Amino acid sequence: MSKSLTCDVVVVGAGMTGAACALYAARAGLDVTVVDRGPVAGGTTGAGEGNLLASDKEPGPELRLALLSLRLWAELAHELGREVEYEAKGDSSSPGTPKRSPRWESSRTHSGRPE
Ligand SMILES: Cc1cc2nc3c(=O)[nH]c(=O)nc-3n(C[C@H](O)[C@H](O)[C@H](O)COP(=O)(O)OP(=O)(O)OC[C@H]3O[C@@H](n4cnc5c(N)ncnc54)[C@H](O)[C@@H]3O)c2cc1C
């Protein structure tokens, strides 16, 4: 006999996106259930290289989200301690040619990096 499930939020997908949604929804006081057709992190998340990059983002909404994400990762790492493998290594990107691209100049200006 099936049992009825009662909660505020059902998150479908136990990858990085679903886990983050579930965590912050639960922290907001909601009763959250995560369901997945397979194992936790059994999708694309399990294949990720673990890089947290901001330098490859164009100035604008995506870069702002990336910077917010970096801050949240650092907070979580501090909070969870040894439970997560977090290492703030920094990152950089290059246009790959002697002549700098407009995108490179734009991102350099935005981040305030020196020449
Ligand atoms: C080789 C590789 C390297 C990468 N490296 C990086 C990196 O270094 N840094 C980075 O930021 N990003 C990286 N990415 C991208 C990153 O891994 C993905 O953007 C991220 O993992 C996506 O997470 P997700 O939770 O949205 O999806 P997923 O991890 O795929 O999770 C989706 C989940 O939903 C479940 N699901 C789907 N449909 C249903 C359904 N109908 N019913 C029940 N469950 C369902 C799946 O089983 C799965 O578990 C990489 C990707 C790849 C492929």
Side-chain angles (χ1 to χ4, degrees):
M1 189 163 68
S2 64
K3 193 177 145 201
S4 63
L5 173 69
T6 306
C7 61
D8 298 317
V9 180
V10 175
V11 176
V12 180
M16 187 59 71
T17 307
C21 291
L23 173 67
Y24 289 100
R27 286 187 172 180
L30 298 171
D31 183 12
V32 183
T33 298
V34 180
V35 295
D36 199 297
R37 63 188 168 193
V40 170
T44 316
T45 296
E49 295 168 6
N51 296 316
L52 303 172
L53 298 176
S55 65
D56 61 343
K57 309 293 185 293
E58 300 277 358
E62 192 184 6
L63 177 60
R64 287 198 294 276
L65 278 174
L67 293 173
L68 171 63
S69 173
L70 289 178
R71 183 171 62 75
L72 293 176
W73 271 111
E75 286 175 10
L76 273 180
H78 180 71
E79 183 182 323
L80 299 173
R82 294 165 63 96
E83 288 182 46
V84 295
E85 296 174 18
Y86 175 83
E87 190 181 348
K89 298 190 232 173
D91 67 277
S92 62
S93 60
S94 155
T97 63
K99 183 175 178 351
R100 288 176 171 163
S101 70
R103 178 183 163 198
W104 171 258
E105 287 299 339
S106 171
S107 79
R108 187 183 58 77
T109 304
H110 181 88
S111 69
R113 286 193 296 264
E115 284 290 319

